[in-house]
Amino acid sequence: MPAPPAAARCLVVLGSTAPMPMDRIVRRVTAPYGERAAVRSTACRRGDGATEHEVLRRLFGASDGGYDGTHPAGPDLAHTAGERADALLATAPLVLALVDAHWCDDGTLRWIDRLLRRTSGGPLTVLMTSSHRALAAGRPTFHEIVAQEYSTVTDAAGLLAPDTDPSDGSDLDDLLAHEPYLIRVARAASALRSTDAELVGALARLPARQVTKALKTARAAGVIPDPMPPMGVPHPVDALLAELTPAERERMYAQAAEILNDTARPAEEVADLLLAHSRLDRPWMISLLKEAAADAQHHNPAAAVRYLSRLNRVDPDDLGTSVDLAMALLDIDPVTARGHLEWALLRTSDPLATARWVMPLRLTALMTHEEPDTPGPLGDVLRDLRDDDRAGVGAPGGPEPSPHGRVPPVPPTRLNRPAATGPQPALSRAGSAVGQLALATRAIRTALTGTAMREAVGDAHQVLQAERPGSAWATVAAAQVLGLADQTEPALGHLTRTIADSQRREEVWAECHARSSQAWLLLQTGEVAESTAQARAASRIAHRHGWEAQTQLPLITLALSMITQAKLDRAECALRRLDGRRFDDSVWEFHHHLMAQALLHRMRGRTEQALDLMDACGTSLASAGVDNPVFSTWWVVSTDLLMQLGRVTAAVDRAELGAQLAKRWPTQRSTGLGLLAKGMAAQQYDRVQLLTESVRVLANCPDRPYHTLAELRLGQALLEHDDKKAARAHLHTARTLATQHGFLVMAHRARVALATAGGRAPSADHRTGDTLTSAERPVAALAASGTTNRDIAAALFLSLRTVEFHLTNVYRKLGVTGRAELAERLDPESAPTPWRPSGEPR
């Protein structure tokens, strides 16, 4: 029987009650791909059904040994597993193998069903094995999957018929009768993760010829896979060691490690075995773990953390191990890293060691908001970095400091500490790790002060062009500078690469930090849905690792996106989750939190409270030396609020302040915002001219929210001039932009103004379906004609869930809340006749 085609997305293999040779089945299933696939495999157990996602947890969950910060837990497991499956599919075909799938829990089965539907056409195969007798024990969800069109049921005997040899037809007892050393050899191969006959023979204490025969039989019978999975990767082959007592298993791992070490295998390969050993009672074990940690530091920091954590437990008083562990943890868990560094500094009087350790401590202080990130404190850090850069000290891997090197202090600071004035400090070795960190510090400090934009952008580009800037903080800071300078696309590109790189290297904090900044930047460009997704992902990571006190920007960004979409209760709920937390050491979080609170007050009709918050925001920024006009647009919002309150003179002064700040940071966005604020505060005849110029400038920058607001304000100003034709054109543009991006508040205001400007839109506006995708248009048209969701699903051959998904997107894009309003928005001529079940009278 030939191998099943790749189109068999879910292959259900039924066999006898004896264990099936899974390795040979997997080889048969992956043969159509023409290349080796990534395989995730686990065996389901009788009790798995009692725990939601229990099998999924084993497929994509935690491995044994040491620290591993990325393993999912709780309600985020399904989301994280989906991300991991997508990452695997992006690089190779993927096979998910479930042995005894009839015992699988419902949550995992539902996740598999969604994955199969979502990745239709991708190189994915789900392999489920069961026996004819056990099928009756399968859960209803299991039988539903088996009955789907994407599933193919086949018999194990027929599937494996071409490769059958005399040993394949025998059960395990028969094999053991002919090969009494089979299990002994298989266990040795499992412990070593190798089928090298010499190595396996040394561990099993058998001659190589006998081992070679036993290995061949074990592979043919599917007792061990071929090839063996890498060291440290969970695999069902580990079950071969499960019957041993803990002492026997540990002794086997220790012997395996010694054999690999004696044969000069890579240190990391041996170290993974030592992690399973409870006692490091031989000197070579300590030395080897240190060597493995040093080798893994740059390409696999999570592995370095596992090795160093093991050493730290053996000797918690070793300063060198604690500091090495802190360095490896910088982008994984800076809170823990900071604890190790502080502990080490308290216990040393060596000035050479102190000079090396203080600068990473300053970096963790910035990363965890223990030290403010305003221009003043950043200037102190920059001066210390400059001095250390010239001396060649202060960063992981840097040269030893000179005996007379200065030890920079770590003084307590406050958020409103003003920026130090003076020329930018020169950097002698910008290519070093310290130099790259200094460049990033100088770039973000310069950008926050709102001066020397070209120099700030140049420093940021130099950081991002480095092979690895030394820390994710430097990369994200440089990307933030590009975002402030209207270079949004490269900034988002660098953040996306940082997220992917952090996931690959298992650097959890770095991923969370990059996602937070990306969410904030996406919101500024009007990508509300994607911003919300990234903010939620970052918030989940922060919650999972207990970093809510250090990472609050995701919730603030989430609240701002909810306000944009007029979901005020959800925004208020997100902000309430921040009650009682410290903000006064983070310039980004403190001032954007004030902005979110102010916008929520304004939406609730509390204009005076909103203005007070915006005034407090402006005062705090000025005190901290942050004069970048686009870092916070408090001055635009407060100009609008002052005009609403009839305080025209104050509004004019506020707009003029913003325009002066914009001249010092001359981007399209800052210039357009200055014109917008002045236009909102101007007299009637000047207003149209200023707002017209604002629309022209903002249309050429990435800021879609303020471009939409400028179009809306210009349309309203033209209405005041009784120029309804010109007003309608700008109000249509405002409404289109607002509905496309999900700015529901502005979409509503644009529709109200359009009604004043003369009723329905011109013909171009009837074609609001142009903003919809080809999949959404027929769903929207049928819904507008009165067809129910279930009937739409039947008419278009879609699932009910897909119809609901498309309608949600339609309502968001068109700024409507239901079918009645949808019917008014769509062109009546484009709507088809409502669908009726066959036989129903028309």
Side-chain angles (χ1 to χ4, degrees), residues 432-781:
S432 67
V434 177
Q436 290 295 319
L437 183 58
L439 277 171
T441 305
R442 189 170 72 181
I444 193 65
R445 176 178 178 270
T446 304
L448 290 174
T449 60
T451 58
M453 185 178 73
R454 181 176 298 179
E455 288 79 359
V457 171
D459 285 347
H461 278 298
Q462 193 170 343
V463 171
L464 295 170
Q465 288 165 4
E467 183 175 349
R468 183 160 179 81
S471 75
W473 184 89
T475 305
V476 173
Q480 288 170 337
V481 171
L482 296 188
L484 293 172
D486 282 1
Q487 297 187 22
T488 306
E489 287 302 319
L492 289 172
H494 283 293
L495 289 172
T496 299
R497 284 188 288 275
T498 300
I499 292 169
D501 189 46
S502 301
Q503 289 177 317
R504 177 180 60 82
R505 294 164 58 86
E506 303 180 46
E507 293 176 327
V508 195
W509 180 89
E511 179 189 351
C512 182
H513 186 44
R515 286 188 185 275
S516 299
S517 296
Q518 190 173 62
W520 178 81
L521 186 55
L522 285 165
L523 187 62
Q524 311 314 304
T525 60
E527 299 296 333
V528 179
E530 183 61 24
S531 170
T532 301
Q534 291 292 349
R536 283 177 171 155
S539 183
R540 282 194 296 268
I541 295 172
H543 175 73
R544 189 184 310 148
H545 295 280
W547 296 333
E548 289 95 337
Q550 291 81 24
T551 310
Q552 300 165 74
L553 188 59
L555 279 177
I556 296 169
T557 305
L558 190 61
L560 287 167
S561 70
M562 293 297 107
I563 293 170
T564 300
Q565 299 172 76
K567 299 176 181 178
L568 304 187
D569 291 339
R570 293 188 186 181
E572 199 159 14
C573 180
L575 291 175
R576 275 201 302 269
R577 290 172 60 185
L578 297 169
D579 288 347
R581 298 188 189 175
R582 282 183 57 202
F583 291 94
D584 55 352
D585 281 330
S586 171
V587 65
W588 296 84
E589 295 174 353
F590 179 67
H591 298 100
H592 290 109
H593 183 247
L594 290 175
M595 175 68 77
Q597 288 181 308
L599 293 177
L600 185 60
H601 278 303
R602 185 176 73 173
M603 293 291 292
R604 297 290 196 193
R606 300 188 285 265
T607 308
E608 288 284 1
Q609 292 93 322
L611 181 60
D612 289 343
L613 287 167
M614 286 294 86
D615 287 343
C617 182
T619 301
S620 175
L621 286 168
S623 298
V626 180
D627 289 329
N628 190 300
V630 297
F631 170 78
S632 172
T633 55
W634 69 274
W635 51 279
V636 182
V637 176
S638 59
T639 298
D640 198 12
L641 292 169
L642 287 165
M643 289 298 293
Q644 289 181 36
L645 294 170
R647 295 162 59 180
V648 177
T649 302
V652 171
D653 291 342
R654 188 63 48 82
E656 184 59 34
L657 169 64
Q660 292 302 317
L661 294 176
K663 290 179 180 178
R664 300 171 58 194
W665 187 262
T667 65
Q668 291 278 344
R669 186 184 182 207
S670 65
T671 302
L673 291 179
L675 291 165
L676 173 62
K678 293 179 74 171
M680 289 190 297
Q683 297 297 321
Q684 184 175 10
Y685 295 102
D686 294 332
R687 186 175 303 165
V688 170
Q689 182 179 355
L690 288 167
L691 291 174
T692 299
E693 185 63 13
S694 171
V695 164
R696 185 190 66 79
V697 175
L698 289 173
N700 296 317
C701 83
D703 193 328
R704 294 281 75 80
Y706 274 114
H707 175 211
T708 305
L709 179 61
E711 295 277 7
L712 175 62
R713 289 287 188 257
L714 178 55
Q716 292 169 332
L718 288 166
L719 275 180
E720 294 177 5
H721 277 269
D722 204 27
D723 189 349
K724 293 185 177 181
K725 181 178 179 180
R728 279 198 300 270
H730 289 285
L731 292 172
H732 294 323
T733 301
R735 190 186 64 180
T736 300
L737 287 170
T739 53
Q740 283 177 340
H741 292 281
F743 311 148
L744 298 190
V745 177
M746 284 192 282
H748 171 73
R749 291 174 180 169
R751 285 198 300 274
V752 171
L754 269 173
T756 305
R760 289 187 62 85
S763 58
D765 188 58
H766 288 299
R767 296 191 295 272
T768 52
D770 291 346
T771 66
L772 307 180
T773 67
S774 58
E776 293 164 350
R777 289 190 197 103
V779 174

Side-chain angles (χ1 to χ4, degrees), residues 276-439:
H277 194 44
S278 64
R279 293 173 299 156
L280 301 180
D281 49 4
R282 302 179 190 179
W284 70 266
M285 294 180 174
I286 301 291
S287 301
L288 186 134
L289 278 176
K290 290 182 177 179
E291 180 186 348
D295 292 345
Q297 176 72 57
H298 298 292
H299 72 275
N300 191 357
V305 168
R306 289 194 290 271
Y307 306 146
L308 291 165
S309 296
R310 186 75 175 86
L311 290 169
N312 188 246
R313 290 196 296 272
V314 172
D315 186 2
D317 294 326
D318 187 323
L319 293 180
T321 299
S322 290
V323 173
D324 288 343
L325 179 56
M327 299 304 187
L329 281 168
L330 278 179
D331 282 337
I332 294 175
D333 185 354
V335 177
T336 304
R338 181 170 175 80
H340 282 290
L341 288 168
E342 289 175 335
W343 179 88
L345 281 169
L346 288 173
R347 283 161 178 78
T348 185
S349 57
D350 181 359
L352 302 179
T354 304
R356 286 197 306 273
W357 301 346
V358 167
M359 208 54 246
L361 182 64
R362 295 290 291 268
L363 178 59
T364 61
L366 286 173
M367 297 164 79
T368 58
H369 303 318
E370 294 296 327
E371 182 163 316
D373 51 4
T374 49
L378 287 175
D380 294 338
V381 173
L382 185 57
R383 282 188 293 273
D384 294 336
L385 283 167
R386 176 200 58 193
D387 293 342
D388 286 342
D389 181 51
R390 289 174 175 170
V393 302
E400 294 291 317
S402 66
H404 307 291
R406 184 174 68 87
V407 178
V410 188
T413 51
R414 297 196 312 274
L415 183 64
N416 63 352
R417 179 175 171 182
T421 58
Q424 295 284 6
L427 302 175
S428 61
R429 299 185 310 123
S432 67
V434 177
Q436 290 295 319
L437 183 58
L439 277 171

Side-chain angles (χ1 to χ4, degrees), residues 69-225:
T70 62
H71 293 310
D76 298 328
L77 176 61
H79 173 81
T80 306
E83 290 183 341
R84 292 192 174 187
D86 291 340
L88 290 169
L89 282 167
T91 58
L94 174 63
V95 174
L96 301 179
L98 274 64
V99 181
D100 293 334
H102 50 272
W103 297 125
C104 186
D105 63 274
D106 280 334
T108 300
L109 291 169
R110 288 193 299 270
W111 181 89
I112 287 173
D113 177 64
R114 289 195 298 271
L115 181 68
L116 285 164
R117 296 177 186 277
R118 178 167 60 81
T119 60
S120 178
L124 169 71
T125 297
V126 175
L127 173 62
M128 298 183 177
T129 71
S130 183
S131 65
H132 296 282
R133 182 179 301 177
L135 273 178
R139 309 177 74 81
T141 311
F142 170 73
H143 290 288
E144 288 176 11
I145 288 180
V146 173
Q148 294 295 329
E149 291 184 4
Y150 56 64
S151 292
T152 298
V153 181
T154 188
D155 186 77
L159 181 67
L160 301 174
D163 294 334
T164 301
D165 62 37
S167 66
D168 288 337
S170 306
D171 61 22
L172 193 56
D173 292 335
D174 291 337
L175 288 173
L176 291 175
H178 292 90
E179 287 287 353
Y181 300 112
L182 178 68
I183 293 298
R184 183 169 162 185
V185 168
R187 283 174 177 159
S190 175
L192 288 163
R193 283 293 204 266
S194 172
T195 54
D196 184 305
E198 294 292 337
L199 294 176
V200 174
L203 183 57
R205 298 181 181 179
L206 291 169
R209 180 178 298 179
Q210 197 168 8
V211 169
T212 301
K213 181 182 177 184
L215 286 172
K216 181 179 179 181
T217 304
R219 284 195 294 264
V223 177
I224 60 173

